[in-house]
Amino acid sequence: SFSGAASVVVPPTTDRDALKEGIASLTPGFGTAIGDAVARAVALVQQATGESIPVAGESVDGAPLDSSPPLGAVVLLSDGSQTRGLLAPEDGARLAEEAGVPVYTIALGTLTGTVTIYRGGESVVVPVPPDRETLARIAESTGASTFEATDADALGAVYDRRGRVVGAE
């Protein structure tokens, strides 16, 4: 999860109930720290796989790599452009690329999209146009794809397509 900072709501798991509970707990925050979120997600992929993931075409021990898919991937869903965080989106993408972790990006929302947050006891409407160009660059630089979703149905379709590529049982 990320808004002004990245945090782990549910660590990598095969427990779908825990994942659903984690997703249900998400709420809008203030700010968008895309670079930090990508860097944190890459660290979680590396932790979950137990090793650094070699960059495509390279190997850790000099042995040739096969063409099998990477052991892990990141799906980055964002409804805004970078407004917070320590790392720029390009820095997070560079870390993912160096680790061999593809980052599939989904630009959620429309150019006129907003969210309402509560700050100081007041409701504040904040514009959140997705930064499609930055998300596309992150995906491209990590060898992944980028998508757009303007509503819940479109988002569901993206997840259906990605699930067949990213996930395995």
Side-chain angles (χ1 to χ4, degrees):
S1 169
F2 69 101
S3 58
S7 63
V8 179
V9 176
V10 179
T13 181
T14 57
D15 183 340
R16 292 177 186 248
D17 290 334
L19 182 60
K20 289 175 185 176
E21 288 176 23
I23 291 170
S25 75
L26 297 175
T27 59
F30 185 73
T32 304
I34 293 172
D36 295 0
V38 171
R40 186 66 181 113
V42 168
L44 286 171
V45 169
Q46 291 176 316
Q47 178 185 359
T49 60
E51 61 185 58
S52 291
I53 301 168
V55 176
E58 299 178 2
S59 70
V60 175
D61 60 4
L65 291 176
D66 61 23
S67 60
S68 61
L71 296 175
V74 172
V75 177
L76 174 67
L77 172 66
S78 180
D79 67 346
S81 58
Q82 173 105 357
T83 60
R84 301 285 166 125
L86 301 174
L87 295 177
E90 296 78 15
D91 296 331
R94 181 183 42 76
L95 292 171
E97 180 184 13
E98 290 171 359
V101 177
V103 180
Y104 296 90
T105 61
I106 306 170
L108 177 64
T110 65
L111 294 177
T112 59
T114 62
V115 294
T116 302
I117 61 171
Y118 299 94
R119 189 171 21 163
E122 294 183 22
S123 295
V124 179
V125 176
V126 179
V128 288
D131 185 349
R132 293 180 177 102
E133 294 79 19
T134 296
L135 294 174
R137 283 195 307 271
I138 291 169
E140 182 180 333
S141 71
T142 64
S145 304
T146 190
F147 304 90
E148 293 182 24
T150 56
D151 59 32
D153 289 338
L155 181 60
V158 169
Y159 278 129
D160 285 345
R161 287 191 306 249
R162 280 301 87 208
R164 287 190 278 283
V165 174
V166 175
E169 214 170 295

